[in-house]
Amino acid sequence: MNLPSTNIAVVIVNYNTAELTIEATYSVLRNTDSKDVVVVVVDNGSRPDSRKALVSEFDQLENVYLIESKTNGGFSSGNNIGISSIDANYYVLLNSDAQFLSKDTLPLLMSHFEEKETGLVGPRLVDQEGTHYVSRFRNHSWKTELISAAKTSLIDRLLGNKTIAITDNDTPPEWLSFAFVVIRKEVFEDIGLLDENFFLYFEDADFCFRSQKNGWSLVYCDRVTGLHKRGKSSNLKTKQANLSRLPKYFYYSRTRYFLQNYSKPYLIIANIAWHTGALISWLRRLTMNSNHKQNKRMWRDIWTFSNPNNRG
């Protein structure tokens, strides 16, 4: 589908989350100038009832276009379908479980693009209770793997406070959450679309890594707040919190990220770093009654599911 060109295209991917997608779409329509913004909803191989709900809701709406994909190719694939369908100067990638909260949202985010080197801009996110939802991060590395597995502030301090999540105001982001992000058209022209070999997770970190490598800067705009309904479009956060076994595609994406942006030896080092951290965590449980544990079978899955070309 070739759609009319626009200044700003908001791309929302739906996979069996019709109610959330409809809410996200209306949050855009309420808080933007319809002359300047087009919403592209991509149904990513959802159930018939989810697709029908979108068709029924969007059929008569101006500046809202529904594109139906017969298969679920993943988060990157769905967004790429939307991006490729329309020529825009800027693309907003908005999760189906994310929303605009005010009419100031887009103007404030867009103001950062006055700097020519700015390629991506992301807002501060909050969850349903208004709690800050971290949306800016450091690049994944062997240090972040060790820290996340060890789960102790001592290791973090020894490695120079290199946790993956950035919570202070002085550290610039190395990648932004694609739950809600604005991307300049020229970035796609420069480095290409999202890597569709990432079925889900790590695609945003990979895209930001490639963007910065090619000279584009990232901006975190804490003056703007967006809503991200925690865990509504994916259950990974719940699995992580409950220490359940994570899905295979998480590990495939993790592997691909390290191979694409570093090397195979680096992946091995990162895996060993994770195991070192896990050992530290285990020793703490034995000696200090710590209840810090790892997700089920993670010690094995980081090695077992290591085919980066598997897409889910």
Side-chain angles (χ1 to χ4, degrees):
M1 180 184 294
N2 292 317
L3 306 179
S5 60
T6 185
N7 185 37
I8 301 169
V10 181
V11 178
I12 305 173
V13 177
N14 175 73
Y15 180 66
N16 298 326
T17 55
E19 183 177 345
L20 289 171
T21 300
I22 291 167
E23 289 179 3
T25 301
Y26 278 112
S27 81
V28 177
L29 298 180
R30 286 194 305 269
N31 293 298
T32 59
D33 183 351
S34 61
K35 297 178 181 179
D36 206 35
V37 179
V38 165
V39 180
V40 180
V41 177
V42 179
D43 182 75
N44 222 9
S46 297
R47 297 186 305 267
D49 62 311
S50 187
R51 292 197 303 273
K52 288 179 181 178
L54 297 184
V55 171
S56 175
E57 189 69 35
F58 298 147
D59 187 48
Q60 302 299 321
L61 289 181
E62 292 185 9
N63 292 337
V64 178
Y65 300 92
L66 176 62
I67 300 175
E68 297 185 44
S69 173
K70 294 182 179 179
T71 60
N72 177 18
F75 181 83
S76 293
S77 174
N79 276 289
N80 285 346
I81 290 171
I83 294 164
S84 300
S85 71
I86 186 168
D87 180 28
N89 294 319
Y90 302 92
Y91 295 86
V92 180
L93 307 189
L94 187 70
N95 266 19
S96 62
D97 60 357
Q99 294 182 22
F100 284 44
L101 290 179
S102 76
K103 292 186 179 297
D104 291 333
T105 297
L106 205 50
L108 287 173
L109 292 173
M110 297 303 298
S111 68
H112 291 282
F113 288 104
E114 294 175 2
E115 300 293 331
K116 292 183 179 180
E117 68 275 9
T118 300
L120 298 88
V121 179
R124 178 179 184 270
L125 296 179
V126 296
D127 64 15
Q128 303 93 304
E129 287 74 42
T131 304
H132 183 208
Y133 189 103
V134 178
S135 57
R136 51 179 171 156
F137 308 89
R138 295 179 177 86
N139 286 331
H140 295 278
S141 66
W142 70 265
K143 290 184 179 181
T144 63
E145 292 295 301
L146 174 57
I147 290 169
S148 65
K151 300 179 181 180
T152 170
S153 58
L154 174 61
I155 297 299
D156 184 13
R157 291 195 298 271
L158 289 174
L159 294 178
N161 296 317
K162 296 296 183 181
T163 54
I164 194 75
I166 297 175
T167 56
D168 64 83
N169 293 324
D170 299 322
T171 303
E174 294 179 336
W175 63 276
L176 299 165
S177 169
F178 277 18
F180 191 159
V181 69
V182 188
I183 306 175
R184 189 192 294 267
K185 171 184 178 180
E186 287 80 6
V187 179
F188 293 114
E189 294 175 339
D190 191 17
I191 70 170
L193 297 172
L194 280 67
D195 185 344
E196 295 185 13
N197 285 299
F198 293 95
F199 180 79
L200 191 60
Y201 299 106
F202 289 85
E203 66 285 305
D204 42 11
D206 171 76
F207 190 88
C208 291
F209 191 102
R210 291 188 285 127
S211 298
Q212 290 192 302
K213 188 176 179 180
N214 281 269
W216 296 103
S217 63
L218 280 58
V219 175
Y220 171 76
C221 182
D222 61 2
R223 293 185 299 159
V224 177
T225 301
L227 174 65
H228 187 201
K229 295 185 176 182
R230 190 185 298 265
K232 293 297 184 179
S233 64
S234 168
N235 64 356
L236 184 77
K237 295 294 184 183
T238 301
K239 286 180 177 291
Q240 288 176 323
N242 295 336
L243 301 177
S244 303
R245 191 179 187 185
L246 302 182
K248 295 178 183 178
Y249 57 73
F250 173 85
Y251 296 104
Y252 291 133
S253 293
R254 176 183 176 277
T255 294
R256 184 170 184 82
Y257 176 86
F258 284 122
L259 290 181
Q260 289 281 94
N261 298 305
Y262 298 98
S263 65
K264 187 171 184 178
Y266 194 96
L267 169 64
I268 295 172
I269 292 170
N271 284 356
I272 293 172
W274 185 90
H275 279 283
T276 302
L279 176 61
I280 292 170
S281 179
W282 177 75
L283 290 173
R284 289 184 70 220
R285 292 201 304 274
L286 287 181
T287 60
M288 303 174 61
N289 292 323
S290 169
N291 61 356
H292 291 159
K293 298 180 180 179
Q294 312 303 328
N295 286 88
K296 187 177 181 181
R297 298 188 185 180
M298 191 166 183
W299 62 272
R300 186 178 70 182
D301 289 347
I302 61 175
W303 300 99
T304 304
F305 305 123
S306 58
N307 177 4
N309 294 312
N310 189 299
R311 295 170 56 195

